[in-house]
Amino acid sequence: MPQRQEITSGAPWEERVGYTRAVRVGDHIAVSGTTAVDREGRIVGRDDAYAQVLYCFEIIAAALEEASASLGDGMLVEVEADAILGGRGDQ
């Protein structure tokens, strides 16, 4: 069985709520849900969706690099559309 590598971001809530930023098993890497919140719990890019997305990709890129991968290695991205619609899930 391939070795499991867990990548943490150092955020205090990882241990508290029981998740890991990313997990690599063999050639597969799964990155957990990522939000624009820094390690101190502050929102990055408040009211600026573009800045928030850039920050999220910085977090993801750092996790991938620690797992010996990069954004250029291919990935699937899912976006929570409810947040884009201003919290109106009926759109």
Side-chain angles (χ1 to χ4, degrees), residues 5-91:
Q5 176 188 7
E6 294 186 359
I7 294 101
T8 64
S9 67
W13 48 82
E14 285 185 358
E15 185 175 328
R16 191 170 28 201
V17 298
Y19 81 92
T20 299
R21 167 61 45 213
V23 176
R24 179 182 189 132
V25 178
D27 291 337
H28 299 279
I29 303 169
V31 179
S32 65
T34 305
T35 61
V37 177
D38 67 16
R39 289 182 183 189
E40 287 76 42
R42 297 179 299 234
I43 296 173
V44 174
R46 184 180 297 276
D47 298 323
D48 184 347
Y50 182 75
Q52 291 178 11
V53 169
L54 287 180
Y55 186 75
C56 289
F57 275 103
E58 289 173 11
I59 294 169
I60 293 166
L64 291 173
E65 184 176 317
E66 190 170 336
S68 301
S70 73
L71 292 172
D73 288 325
M75 60 185 204
L76 169 68
V77 176
E78 294 184 24
V79 176
E80 176 60 48
D82 190 51
I84 292 171
L85 298 171
R88 297 174 305 183
D90 60 340
Q91 302 277 321

